[in-house]
Amino acid sequence: MITLNTDHLRGFVSSEDIKNIFPAVKSAHEDLHFHKGKGDEFTGWLNLPSSIPDDFLNGLQSLANQVGKDCDCLVSIGIGGSYLGIRATVEFLGGSTKIPIYYAGHNISSDYLYGLLETIKDKRVGVVVISKSGTTTEPAIAFRAVKKLLESRWSLEELKKRIICVTDEKKGALRQIATKYGYRSFVIPDDVGGRFSVLTPVGLVPLALAGVDVKSLVEGARGAQEEYKQMDLDKNSCYRYAAIRNILYRKGKKIEVVSSFYPQVYYVAEWFKQLFGESEGKSGKGIFPSSMIFSTDLHSMGQQMQDGERNIFETFISVDRPEHDLTVPHDTDDLDGFNYVAGKSFDFVNKKAYEATSAAHFEGGVPNMTISLCKADAFHLGHLFYFFEKAVAISGYVLGVNPFDQPGVEAYKKKMFALLGKK
Ligand code: PA5
């Protein structure tokens, strides 16, 4: 499954520190499980994996088969929690899906949208438009543009086969649009916030349509739900991780760098940043979440990591067994002098680079932990999604904030609406 290695915390986090924070973690656990904590109305994600009916997952499979006959690409429209989990999953699994998936509504760039519309204009397109509130500017105006393109090519009856809305059961403009035009729709549960919604129809519908094994994704999360229930810091690595983050934060480590030697983790880290940033960054508090992909970023951020201000801790995400491995070829001339690694696998070299980096960063004053996944598959990703969701809930309660609201994201919207003349 997944493991947490804390060897490189020696001298930064003591067993005394763990003992001292235990009451706060226990109280966070009780607040969460006995529904006593702040923002409890948004804790529907807690028991979500075990409550997803298998019939629902089978139904998605049938829908995917049907859509697969009518469409040769999919456009997933959404932003934040209605985008990142989908992309994180697709990219983590290697990036190539059964039918290609394109993204819209996660920015307002005209060049981006123009390029997308050019790419899909002659294709048999399927669209999943996702917005919990149903009123978010970016996906709403991108959907207008994509819908206009589709309307220029197909009848309303045909559009009903091609457009799927994922939104609130009753509220918001997207629900009204789905009802008015008779588009197929799915409901986002009221009690699950955007950044916790990857295992609701928000993630499951587009991922299933793109051909991802959503049953395994959910199965992995179900295992995590069971595993991370116990209030025992020795046995519960998710709670241990949450506790350690807070200990480090109190000792001045204000920045967490999620790093990985596996580029497919890039969007998982983007998803992580939203989850942790929106959950903890409030009331003047919160660890600043950031990410790096190595060894690429060792050649740009390596200096800062090794030698800059010591206000950082690092969480590596590692994959034990890659899907494919290659061997470094032998070269007769050996002009580059790299025959000493000839015959070794690229993954072996990559893992040595990771071991060297985690040791060097530790010695340079960056405490680090490693979360290892056996494989980069849907099952382990589902487990990891739940691990981080539960960790941020516990971590946020220990920090003393409501991990389930996001009042700060409204500030730019108010100013933007005023500038745009919204009535
Ligand atoms: O976590 C959140 O609630 C937000 O970041 C949302 O995910 C994001 O704003 C998208 O919102 P919506 O799904 O309502 O369009």
Side-chain angles (χ1 to χ4, degrees), residues 160-200:
K160 284 187 194 168
K161 286 195 224 155
R162 299 186 175 277
I163 296 178
I164 297 174
C165 302
V166 182
T167 188
D168 186 84
E169 189 180 4
K170 297 192 185 98
K171 296 188 297 281
L174 187 56
R175 173 54 59 196
Q176 285 179 356
I177 292 171
T179 307
K180 175 165 181 193
Y181 293 100
Y183 299 145
R184 194 183 274 120
S185 70
F186 289 85
V187 172
I188 307 173
D190 255 349
D191 56 0
V192 182
R195 57 190 176 275
F196 290 84
S197 68
V198 61
L199 298 170
T200 71

Side-chain angles (χ1 to χ4, degrees), residues 79-82 130-134 136 139 194-195 274 278 406 413:
I79 194 166
S82 298
I130 310 153
S131 177
K132 181 157 194 254
S133 62
T136 308
R195 57 190 176 275
Q274 186 200 358
E278 274 191 355
Q406 55 285 328
K413 291 184 194 170

